[in-house]
Amino acid sequence: MSTESIGRVTRRSLLLGGAGLALTPSLGAWTARAAAPIDRRLAAGPTRARLAGTDRPETDVWAYNGTVPGPFVRLRQGEPVRIVVENRLDQDTTVHWHGIRLPNAMDGVPGLTQPPIMPGESFVYGFTPPDAGTFWYHPHANSLQQLGRGLAGAVIVEEREPVAVDRDLLWLIADWRLTSEARIAAGFGNPMEAAMSGRIGNTVTLNGAMPVDEPVRAGERIRLRLVNAALARIMALRFEGHRPVIVAIDGQPCDPHQPEGGRVLLGPAMRIDIVLDMQGEPGRRYKVVDDFYDGLAYRLTQLAYDEGAPLRAHPLDAPLDLPRNPLPEPEVGSAERHELTLQGGMMGGGALAGVGGMMGGMKGTGMAGMGGGAAWAINGMSMTGDGHAGMEPALTFQRGRSIVLTLRNETAWWHPMHFHGHSFRVFSRNGAPVPYRQWQDTVLMAPKDAVEVAFVADNPGDWMLHCHVMDHQMAGLMTVLRVA
Ligand code: C2O
Ligand code: CU
Ligand code: CU
């Protein structure tokens, strides 16, 4: 790859990006500063990465700026940013800023919110993040393969005032299906798998490498930001000997609380920030285990205490609450109510398909009335792919209205359901109030779950709502909601 083209922006794309900025009403601050320098550059292209450990060959991947995951993008709450994305792949791409409430034209959905970025072209994303927290970015074009081959990175939007912790760590956890030669296995979009649990891999990486020990010091307080960047793998993390306190979900601060059963449950695309007070013994190691799938628990990493004396005798006394973000509070009583029913998939469910590339445990062949290559539907409609022009909204909301959506999972499978452009309050599950009524942008639904979420439809545009198991999205578990 020639290095001289790094950071070069084609004239055409500058104009394109410029137009996108000028047309976007809430970027007023930006148009005034249109000559401001470009802050960040991301180039998507092929490279190689040592994913599977030092004793295995490198893997051909697709990556931003040559690294897996892509560079951490650090932004400041309320401060505008411009990010140039250059496409050095041989296919169209876009970047979606997952969870960031931004203008529709910057949302990165090809056809729906922007023209795809063609090979050799660039696009300038410009927005002002309203919320501090943990977010991430990934393509929204050929997503199953582009994300599955490595295109993903974390975004940290910093609070205006620093939070009282000793260290701030981020684990972007990804899941790969590799062959014995450490190549990315073929078979993306296998229809059988798409109608079951999706492409679950056989190699879990932490920040792009085989996990090594996480060095910690007794007595310190760590904010650990967890990002599940897997295509399909759900995670449930247990921290042996420690009591994680959840302080934010999907970037949005929540009432600090310990997770149910001590397990931090992370569906694909979800982020959870925890605070860990390191109260273990100097010199000891404590396992971090993912035991979501029955009988398939594995050790993700270990917290490895150094021998040094504790940093402090007692856990830090500072409050764990993070400053809240400026989210509009929905009025649930007077809200407009709608139902979205998730349908399809193989009957039976439950069994985990595709671990290590092996199909097994198929329990039925029925496909609940789906046709034309789609395996899933929402309210009887299958929208497949990643986004394209002419996607008709399933619902239209008047701007500023409070909305309650009931998401009903009629299928036998788990689905992390994600909504673009907004965060919603998850306030009931199967009729019972959800403790802490947290804000999320992705809600993990178990088979047969019914979940109520509420939000103010305050962000104009056409926004996707889809399952973040990439095979499910591609095979029809997607819809568009319009805020007009
Ligand atoms: Cu991270 Cu449309 O998704
Ligand atoms: Cu998103
Ligand atoms: Cu799904």
Side-chain angles (χ1 to χ4, degrees), residues 96-99 107 138 140 418-421 441 466 468:
H96 171 60
W97 310 94
H98 183 119
D107 197 42
H138 62 78
H140 224 288
H418 168 52
F419 186 33
H420 286 211
D441 59 56
H466 62 84
H468 224 288

PDB file of all heavy atoms in Angstrom, residues 96-99 107 138 140 418-421 441 466 468, ligand 2:
ATOM      1  N   HIS A  96     -20.703   3.790  10.472  1.00  0.00           N
ATOM      2  CA  HIS A  96     -21.817   4.097  11.368  1.00  0.00           C
ATOM      3  C   HIS A  96     -21.245   4.306  12.768  1.00  0.00           C
ATOM      4  O   HIS A  96     -20.431   3.515  13.231  1.00  0.00           O
ATOM      5  CB  HIS A  96     -22.816   2.936  11.361  1.00  0.00           C
ATOM      6  CG  HIS A  96     -23.885   3.061  12.406  1.00  0.00           C
ATOM      7  ND1 HIS A  96     -24.751   4.124  12.441  1.00  0.00           N
ATOM      8  CD2 HIS A  96     -24.212   2.277  13.460  1.00  0.00           C
ATOM      9  CE1 HIS A  96     -25.569   3.979  13.476  1.00  0.00           C
ATOM     10  NE2 HIS A  96     -25.263   2.869  14.113  1.00  0.00           N
ATOM     11  N   TRP A  97     -21.657   5.393  13.410  1.00  0.00           N
ATOM     12  CA  TRP A  97     -21.154   5.769  14.737  1.00  0.00           C
ATOM     13  C   TRP A  97     -22.162   5.263  15.750  1.00  0.00           C
ATOM     14  O   TRP A  97     -23.061   5.989  16.171  1.00  0.00           O
ATOM     15  CB  TRP A  97     -20.954   7.284  14.794  1.00  0.00           C
ATOM     16  CG  TRP A  97     -20.163   7.738  13.611  1.00  0.00           C
ATOM     17  CD1 TRP A  97     -20.655   8.197  12.421  1.00  0.00           C
ATOM     18  CD2 TRP A  97     -18.729   7.689  13.481  1.00  0.00           C
ATOM     19  NE1 TRP A  97     -19.613   8.446  11.557  1.00  0.00           N
ATOM     20  CE2 TRP A  97     -18.422   8.148  12.182  1.00  0.00           C
ATOM     21  CE3 TRP A  97     -17.684   7.300  14.335  1.00  0.00           C
ATOM     22  CZ2 TRP A  97     -17.108   8.223  11.709  1.00  0.00           C
ATOM     23  CZ3 TRP A  97     -16.394   7.389  13.861  1.00  0.00           C
ATOM     24  CH2 TRP A  97     -16.116   7.840  12.576  1.00  0.00           C
ATOM     25  N   HIS A  98     -22.003   4.010  16.109  1.00  0.00           N
ATOM     26  CA  HIS A  98     -23.049   3.295  16.834  1.00  0.00           C
ATOM     27  C   HIS A  98     -23.323   3.919  18.202  1.00  0.00           C
ATOM     28  O   HIS A  98     -22.440   4.000  19.047  1.00  0.00           O
ATOM     29  CB  HIS A  98     -22.648   1.824  16.976  1.00  0.00           C
ATOM     30  CG  HIS A  98     -23.686   0.981  17.631  1.00  0.00           C
ATOM     31  ND1 HIS A  98     -24.285  -0.096  17.020  1.00  0.00           N
ATOM     32  CD2 HIS A  98     -24.246   1.071  18.858  1.00  0.00           C
ATOM     33  CE1 HIS A  98     -25.162  -0.627  17.849  1.00  0.00           C
ATOM     34  NE2 HIS A  98     -25.158   0.061  18.975  1.00  0.00           N
ATOM     35  N   GLY A  99     -24.579   4.350  18.389  1.00  0.00           N
ATOM     36  CA  GLY A  99     -25.013   4.864  19.687  1.00  0.00           C
ATOM     37  C   GLY A  99     -24.906   6.360  19.837  1.00  0.00           C
ATOM     38  O   GLY A  99     -25.457   6.928  20.774  1.00  0.00           O
ATOM     39  N   ASP A 107     -25.187   9.322   9.739  1.00  0.00           N
ATOM     40  CA  ASP A 107     -25.445   8.041  10.400  1.00  0.00           C
ATOM     41  C   ASP A 107     -24.830   6.854   9.675  1.00  0.00           C
ATOM     42  O   ASP A 107     -24.762   5.755  10.227  1.00  0.00           O
ATOM     43  CB  ASP A 107     -26.956   7.852  10.561  1.00  0.00           C
ATOM     44  CG  ASP A 107     -27.320   6.779  11.571  1.00  0.00           C
ATOM     45  OD1 ASP A 107     -26.665   6.735  12.635  1.00  0.00           O
ATOM     46  OD2 ASP A 107     -28.231   5.983  11.302  1.00  0.00           O
ATOM     47  N   HIS A 138     -18.382   1.184  13.090  1.00  0.00           N
ATOM     48  CA  HIS A 138     -18.237   0.007  12.222  1.00  0.00           C
ATOM     49  C   HIS A 138     -18.901   0.317  10.892  1.00  0.00           C
ATOM     50  O   HIS A 138     -19.688   1.262  10.809  1.00  0.00           O
ATOM     51  CB  HIS A 138     -18.856  -1.230  12.896  1.00  0.00           C
ATOM     52  CG  HIS A 138     -20.329  -1.134  13.171  1.00  0.00           C
ATOM     53  ND1 HIS A 138     -21.283  -1.316  12.191  1.00  0.00           N
ATOM     54  CD2 HIS A 138     -21.025  -0.851  14.298  1.00  0.00           C
ATOM     55  CE1 HIS A 138     -22.493  -1.175  12.725  1.00  0.00           C
ATOM     56  NE2 HIS A 138     -22.369  -0.881  14.008  1.00  0.00           N
ATOM     57  N   HIS A 140     -21.524   0.044   7.730  1.00  0.00           N
ATOM     58  CA  HIS A 140     -22.920  -0.383   7.571  1.00  0.00           C
ATOM     59  C   HIS A 140     -23.163  -0.826   6.139  1.00  0.00           C
ATOM     60  O   HIS A 140     -24.274  -0.721   5.619  1.00  0.00           O
ATOM     61  CB  HIS A 140     -23.872   0.743   7.975  1.00  0.00           C
ATOM     62  CG  HIS A 140     -25.027   0.286   8.812  1.00  0.00           C
ATOM     63  ND1 HIS A 140     -26.065  -0.453   8.299  1.00  0.00           N
ATOM     64  CD2 HIS A 140     -25.284   0.426  10.131  1.00  0.00           C
ATOM     65  CE1 HIS A 140     -26.929  -0.718   9.267  1.00  0.00           C
ATOM     66  NE2 HIS A 140     -26.471  -0.207  10.405  1.00  0.00           N
ATOM     67  N   HIS A 418     -31.337  -3.010  18.056  1.00  0.00           N
ATOM     68  CA  HIS A 418     -30.648  -1.710  18.083  1.00  0.00           C
ATOM     69  C   HIS A 418     -31.429  -0.668  17.283  1.00  0.00           C
ATOM     70  O   HIS A 418     -31.900  -0.945  16.193  1.00  0.00           O
ATOM     71  CB  HIS A 418     -29.250  -1.885  17.494  1.00  0.00           C
ATOM     72  CG  HIS A 418     -28.552  -0.595  17.213  1.00  0.00           C
ATOM     73  ND1 HIS A 418     -28.412   0.393  18.156  1.00  0.00           N
ATOM     74  CD2 HIS A 418     -27.948  -0.118  16.090  1.00  0.00           C
ATOM     75  CE1 HIS A 418     -27.751   1.416  17.622  1.00  0.00           C
ATOM     76  NE2 HIS A 418     -27.471   1.137  16.373  1.00  0.00           N
ATOM     77  N   PHE A 419     -31.520   0.534  17.838  1.00  0.00           N
ATOM     78  CA  PHE A 419     -32.192   1.648  17.168  1.00  0.00           C
ATOM     79  C   PHE A 419     -31.179   2.765  16.931  1.00  0.00           C
ATOM     80  O   PHE A 419     -30.422   3.117  17.836  1.00  0.00           O
ATOM     81  CB  PHE A 419     -33.354   2.128  18.056  1.00  0.00           C
ATOM     82  CG  PHE A 419     -34.231   3.189  17.428  1.00  0.00           C
ATOM     83  CD1 PHE A 419     -34.476   3.219  16.058  1.00  0.00           C
ATOM     84  CD2 PHE A 419     -34.842   4.143  18.231  1.00  0.00           C
ATOM     85  CE1 PHE A 419     -35.297   4.197  15.497  1.00  0.00           C
ATOM     86  CE2 PHE A 419     -35.670   5.120  17.682  1.00  0.00           C
ATOM     87  CZ  PHE A 419     -35.902   5.147  16.315  1.00  0.00           C
ATOM     88  N   HIS A 420     -31.173   3.306  15.740  1.00  0.00           N
ATOM     89  CA  HIS A 420     -30.236   4.373  15.391  1.00  0.00           C
ATOM     90  C   HIS A 420     -30.765   5.747  15.842  1.00  0.00           C
ATOM     91  O   HIS A 420     -31.974   5.969  15.887  1.00  0.00           O
ATOM     92  CB  HIS A 420     -30.052   4.447  13.872  1.00  0.00           C
ATOM     93  CG  HIS A 420     -29.230   3.338  13.291  1.00  0.00           C
ATOM     94  ND1 HIS A 420     -28.453   3.512  12.172  1.00  0.00           N
ATOM     95  CD2 HIS A 420     -29.047   2.044  13.649  1.00  0.00           C
ATOM     96  CE1 HIS A 420     -27.848   2.372  11.867  1.00  0.00           C
ATOM     97  NE2 HIS A 420     -28.190   1.462  12.742  1.00  0.00           N
ATOM     98  N   GLY A 421     -29.837   6.647  16.102  1.00  0.00           N
ATOM     99  CA  GLY A 421     -30.188   8.054  16.256  1.00  0.00           C
ATOM    100  C   GLY A 421     -30.814   8.462  17.577  1.00  0.00           C
ATOM    101  O   GLY A 421     -31.047   9.638  17.813  1.00  0.00           O
ATOM    102  N   ASP A 441     -29.158   1.762  23.646  1.00  0.00           N
ATOM    103  CA  ASP A 441     -29.485   1.840  22.221  1.00  0.00           C
ATOM    104  C   ASP A 441     -29.633   0.458  21.624  1.00  0.00           C
ATOM    105  O   ASP A 441     -30.000   0.311  20.461  1.00  0.00           O
ATOM    106  CB  ASP A 441     -28.448   2.679  21.458  1.00  0.00           C
ATOM    107  CG  ASP A 441     -27.038   2.135  21.571  1.00  0.00           C
ATOM    108  OD1 ASP A 441     -26.814   0.957  21.231  1.00  0.00           O
ATOM    109  OD2 ASP A 441     -26.147   2.895  22.010  1.00  0.00           O
ATOM    110  N   HIS A 466     -32.783  -2.559  13.994  1.00  0.00           N
ATOM    111  CA  HIS A 466     -32.455  -3.897  13.498  1.00  0.00           C
ATOM    112  C   HIS A 466     -31.808  -4.739  14.572  1.00  0.00           C
ATOM    113  O   HIS A 466     -31.355  -4.233  15.602  1.00  0.00           O
ATOM    114  CB  HIS A 466     -31.540  -3.818  12.269  1.00  0.00           C
ATOM    115  CG  HIS A 466     -30.203  -3.174  12.524  1.00  0.00           C
ATOM    116  ND1 HIS A 466     -29.130  -3.868  13.041  1.00  0.00           N
ATOM    117  CD2 HIS A 466     -29.763  -1.908  12.320  1.00  0.00           C
ATOM    118  CE1 HIS A 466     -28.087  -3.045  13.139  1.00  0.00           C
ATOM    119  NE2 HIS A 466     -28.446  -1.843  12.720  1.00  0.00           N
ATOM    120  N   HIS A 468     -28.706  -6.770  15.879  1.00  0.00           N
ATOM    121  CA  HIS A 468     -27.273  -6.605  15.650  1.00  0.00           C
ATOM    122  C   HIS A 468     -26.529  -7.928  15.533  1.00  0.00           C
ATOM    123  O   HIS A 468     -25.299  -7.946  15.439  1.00  0.00           O
ATOM    124  CB  HIS A 468     -26.641  -5.707  16.708  1.00  0.00           C
ATOM    125  CG  HIS A 468     -25.684  -4.699  16.144  1.00  0.00           C
ATOM    126  ND1 HIS A 468     -24.441  -5.047  15.653  1.00  0.00           N
ATOM    127  CD2 HIS A 468     -25.793  -3.362  15.950  1.00  0.00           C
ATOM    128  CE1 HIS A 468     -23.832  -3.951  15.221  1.00  0.00           C
ATOM    129  NE2 HIS A 468     -24.624  -2.921  15.386  1.00  0.00           N
TER     130      HIS A 468
HETATM  131 CU    CU B   2     -26.325   2.123  15.400  1.00  0.00          CU
END
